[in-house]
Amino acid sequence: MTSFSMHGVGVSSGIAIGNAHLISHALLEVVHFKIEASAIDEEIARFERAIGLVKHDLEQLKAQLPKNAPAELSAFINTHLAMLSDKSLSEAPKAIIRTELCNAEWALKQQMDDIVAQFDAIEDAYLRERKQDVVQVVERVIKVLLGRDQLAASEKKLQARQERAMILVAHDVSPADAIQFKHHQFAAFITDVGGVTSHTAILARSLNIPSIVALQRARDLINDGELMIVDGSEGVVIVNPDPEVLAEYQLKQNQWQLAQQKLQRIKTTKAVTVDGVAIDLLANIEVPDDVVAAKASGAVGVGLYRTEFLFMNRAEMPDEQEQFEAYKHVAEAMKGHPVTIRTLDIGADKQLNPDEVVTATNPALGLRAVRYCLAEPQIFHSQFRALLRASHYGQVKILIPMLSNLAELRQTKLLFARAKESLRQQGIPFDEQVPIGGMIEVPAAAINADAFAQELDFLSIGTNDLIQYTLAIDRADDAVAHLYNPLHPAVLRLIQMTIAAAAKYDKPVSVCGEMAGDTKLTRLLVGMGMRQLSMHPAHILSVKSQILQSEENVLAKQAKKILSMTDLEKIDPLIKKFNGEVH
Ligand code: PEP
Ligand code: MG
């Protein structure tokens, strides 16, 4: 076995040593090959067996639905069953196999593309949306064709490997898929595509395991089960390492783990600089269960709860009651500590349905976040009602994403007031004073932060998007990942303007983007005047350790110097120097 290494962009530090576990997206896996005329009948029989198996699975699924399952669920299964019986899916691919002498997966995929194209031409939006059902049902059949036995074997392998560390290797993983990995015990996570602050990377980081993105061809070059080393700090993957290299990394891994354990000693220590400036370290969470990690990290509250993950991987939106229960769970679990819950931030790289074909020309600049909610006021209304109801059970704060102008904010406030009024009329209790804040993540909002600081109770800087929009770099695009730089002078100035606006109107301001959890930037942010940082729980202790060793008045001088600079290439070494000097 030849040893080789690959370089990507490290998005979460640490070292993992384990076996590769390759995951794939069934539709992406479909290959085209010719079959002999004599194999036609066999291929058609294989196709029919696959359709039959999927039908059987769906029937079983339907039979096992609990009595209180929403009616839509069985309707959804019925739609899929009806599609499987429709000639366009059950017969047409057979004709393709016969005439084109191709494999069944390919024939089915061709037929699916054809049907999807016809759906695209339909004017009725509801019917047009049904194409998604076609894609989903075809995907089920293709998974079976690609080898149910293979899948079952892979599941078994997965179980057998539970004892050993497993490294997830994927070409790409959507945020909706990645959230599901929270239930698995992977030791590391690597993908071919993605940027440092793509939502997939953010989720990988929240798992607190070494992660690397933008590896280009890892999924192709690495075989399932191969031994590999992932060094998330350096962005390096070593496949089939030599014994000496393996020993070296085992040592490094031990040292890393020891350092992490040592950090536990400061878990209950307050984050205060040597000269007495206190910094609030808060947690970013994606699902209600993340509060466990948030509390274990010593966070003084939740600074960002990304609610959109409650809306993903499902056919129907969560209703008000389901949302209320999720928000209440977090509010109560944090026992009086602040819980900042962000309203639905959907769009761009966070699709409600990962399989949905994105039609917007430029989704990151399209109908996402608050824009989407204002276009769907009913969704906004039920989320506001759920949030307000939860505010009765803890210290809830509401955060609006991606504001770019005051009109959006005012419209949002109007809807918020309506939600309050509807609860009052029903006599449902909520906190009348629940603060409403806005994310500063569009350059326009940072430049005009004065206006937002006046009209909001608090500001939170979403540096992931702020960098994306300021530098015109798609945060999820690996081709430009190397250009994504939080230290760009333009970015630093926008942050500074936001901090100044918040100070002018005496409003709290935080950073809740990935910059907040990057220990290389802690000193700079504190020096710039930031007093609240919200990050994944896994980073809280290492950021705290930086704060405990720093002197704010020294940091303020260093930050001033950095902010006066216009050349990125000079900023980077100076930051390194300042970080080193204070140690
Ligand atoms: C951000 O943009 O910095 C942010 C915190 O929001 P998200 O990463 O969810 O877009
Ligand atoms: Mg954002």
Side-chain angles (χ1 to χ4, degrees):
M1 272 180 291
T2 41
S3 169
F4 63 95
S5 63
M6 305 182 74
H7 294 253
V9 180
V11 293
S12 181
S13 300
I15 290 166
I17 301 171
N19 297 103
H21 180 74
L22 267 51
I23 63 152
S24 55
H25 194 277
L27 284 177
L28 293 177
E29 293 281 288
V30 173
V31 288
H32 180 194
F33 57 84
K34 286 270 175 212
I35 57 166
E36 298 291 330
S38 58
I40 291 178
D41 288 345
E42 199 184 311
E43 197 62 12
I44 288 180
R46 197 166 76 86
F47 172 74
E48 284 174 341
R49 265 198 312 277
I51 295 264
L53 268 172
V54 172
K55 274 189 185 168
H56 174 75
D57 277 0
L58 288 173
E59 296 283 7
Q60 273 204 326
L61 204 66
K62 204 169 97 179
Q64 286 163 5
L65 280 182
K67 286 209 168 43
N68 58 353
E72 293 85 352
L73 217 57
S74 65
F76 176 69
I77 298 175
N78 284 338
T79 310
H80 282 197
L81 279 168
M83 283 178 172
L84 283 174
S85 300
D86 193 281
K87 284 203 166 53
S88 61
L89 276 188
S90 61
E91 293 298 325
K94 293 191 213 166
I96 300 179
I97 296 174
R98 204 167 266 134
T99 51
E100 293 190 16
L101 291 177
C102 64
N103 52 320
E105 298 86 335
W106 185 255
L108 180 57
K109 170 88 167 36
Q110 296 315 298
Q111 181 62 9
M112 182 198 82
D113 289 346
D114 228 43
I115 300 175
V116 165
Q118 290 169 26
F119 269 98
D120 279 337
I122 297 177
E123 292 228 340
D124 183 297
Y126 175 78
L127 282 179
R128 210 169 47 231
E129 285 304 305
R130 302 281 61 78
K131 77 175 176 200
Q132 212 35 57
D133 290 312
V134 179
V135 175
Q136 283 170 358
V137 91
V138 165
E139 191 161 32
R140 270 181 183 272
V141 181
I142 285 181
K143 273 185 184 154
V144 173
L145 283 169
L146 285 175
R148 166 173 300 220
D149 297 344
Q150 212 176 312
L151 286 182
S154 139
E155 276 297 311
K156 276 207 199 97
K157 221 164 39 180
L158 199 72
Q159 282 162 14
R161 285 185 194 157
Q162 290 295 340
E163 296 303 307
R164 282 184 279 163
M166 246 186 328
I167 293 169
L168 190 140
V169 182
H171 174 70
D172 190 13
V173 180
S174 73
D177 288 335
I179 195 86
Q180 298 183 331
F181 297 142
K182 286 208 174 200
H183 310 298
H184 294 281
Q185 293 294 315
F186 288 109
F189 185 107
I190 65 171
T191 62
D192 291 344
V193 300
V196 188
T197 59
S198 63
H199 284 94
T200 305
I202 291 176
L203 281 167
R205 210 169 297 143
S206 80
L207 302 175
N208 193 20
I209 53 176
S211 325
I212 303 175
V213 298
L215 280 158
Q216 318 278 347
R217 294 189 57 215
R219 177 70 181 71
D220 273 357
L221 298 176
I222 299 170
N223 294 313
D224 202 44
E226 270 181 323
L227 181 68
M228 52 193 286
I229 297 169
V230 176
D231 182 345
S233 321
E234 299 297 326
V236 177
V237 172
I238 304 167
V239 185
N240 297 320
D242 298 332
E244 304 80 52
V245 175
L246 188 61
E248 183 192 326
Y249 273 93
Q250 274 160 342
L251 191 69
K252 273 195 191 178
Q253 190 183 31
N254 285 342
Q255 285 166 342
W256 168 267
Q257 282 162 353
L258 271 176
Q260 295 297 107
Q261 277 165 18
K262 247 173 84 182
L263 281 175
Q264 288 299 324
R265 294 186 201 148
I266 55 169
K267 194 182 132 182
T268 53
T269 311
K270 283 207 160 60
V272 179
T273 60
V274 174
D275 50 344
V277 177
I279 312 292
D280 290 340
L281 301 182
L282 302 128
N284 287 0
I285 66 168
E286 272 90 35
V287 292
D289 284 349
D290 287 346
V291 284
V292 178
K295 283 166 70 176
S297 72
V300 296
V302 169
L304 173 66
Y305 171 11
R306 291 179 163 101
T307 58
E308 46 277 9
F309 292 99
L310 187 62
F311 292 68
M312 290 177 172
N313 294 316
R314 53 194 295 166
E316 295 298 324
M317 295 253 177
D319 62 11
E320 179 188 315
Q321 183 62 20
E322 185 183 342
Q323 291 187 58
F324 162 65
E325 279 159 19
Y327 308 153
K328 174 174 171 251
H329 173 81
V330 177
E332 284 185 333
M334 290 310 291
K335 298 203 184 330
H337 289 295
V339 173
T340 307
I341 309 182
R342 181 173 73 184
T343 57
L344 185 62
D345 183 359
I346 212 68
D349 69 334
K350 277 180 295 192
Q351 291 298 118
L352 284 181
N353 181 343
D355 296 326
E356 198 164 323
V357 183
V358 180
T359 49
T361 330
N362 197 334
L365 303 181
L367 196 66
R368 63 167 286 205
V370 69
R371 303 171 180 181
Y372 175 88
C373 290
L374 288 173
E376 302 280 350
Q378 203 40 48
I379 296 178
F380 223 179
H381 183 72
S382 62
Q383 186 167 37
F384 275 145
R385 279 181 52 104
L387 288 166
L388 284 163
R389 285 169 59 193
S391 72
H392 184 62
Y393 299 88
Q395 203 195 325
V396 171
K397 296 160 97 178
I398 296 175
L399 182 60
I400 313 295
M402 219 196 160
L403 290 163
S404 59
N405 63 55
L406 284 180
E408 282 167 341
L409 174 57
R410 290 177 185 150
Q411 251 180 297
T412 301
K413 281 184 156 181
L414 213 67
L415 289 174
F416 186 52
R418 264 187 217 153
K420 279 182 165 177
E421 187 49 35
S422 71
L423 289 175
R424 267 184 221 115
Q425 280 182 4
Q426 291 175 281
I428 300 174
F430 64 91
D431 174 8
E432 285 281 355
Q433 304 306 322
V434 61
I436 183 156
M439 291 199 62
I440 302 296
E441 50 184 350
V442 176
I447 294 165
N448 200 20
D450 266 25
F452 289 98
Q454 282 175 76
E455 299 209 10
L456 286 160
D457 297 317
F458 65 97
L459 304 179
S460 189
I461 309 179
T463 49
N464 307 335
D465 277 315
L466 187 62
I467 299 168
Q468 150 163 278
Y469 295 126
T470 306
L471 304 183
I473 288 161
D474 186 337
R475 57 195 271 194
D477 186 347
D478 56 301
V480 286
H482 62 291
L483 296 172
Y484 190 97
N485 196 330
L487 290 174
H488 192 294
V491 173
L492 297 183
R493 282 172 199 194
L494 291 174
I495 295 175
Q496 187 192 30
M497 287 166 84
T498 309
I499 296 174
K504 185 166 159 195
Y505 295 98
D506 203 18
K507 300 285 169 74
V509 59
S510 64
V511 170
C512 65
E514 296 299 294
M515 276 180 84
D518 185 342
T519 49
K520 293 189 289 300
L521 305 175
T522 308
R523 293 183 163 105
L524 173 65
L525 289 171
V526 172
M528 285 170 76
M530 193 53 71
R531 298 293 175 261
Q532 288 183 357
L533 298 169
S534 190
M535 66 204 80
H536 279 298
H539 301 137
I540 289 198
L541 294 182
S542 39
V543 167
K544 193 191 280 184
S545 156
Q546 298 290 318
I547 292 167
L548 295 175
Q549 299 171 58
S550 307
E551 232 180 291
E552 196 273 342
N553 60 51
V554 175
L555 300 187
K557 286 187 203 113
Q558 291 175 344
K560 205 166 162 199
K561 180 149 177 56
I562 301 274
L563 278 159
S564 70
M565 297 170 72
T566 50
D567 183 349
L568 174 58
E569 292 190 5
K570 290 188 180 138
I571 292 180
D572 205 33
L574 199 58
I575 289 274
K576 286 200 178 97
K577 189 171 154 219
F578 285 158
N579 282 342
E581 264 179 12
V582 193
H583 270 302

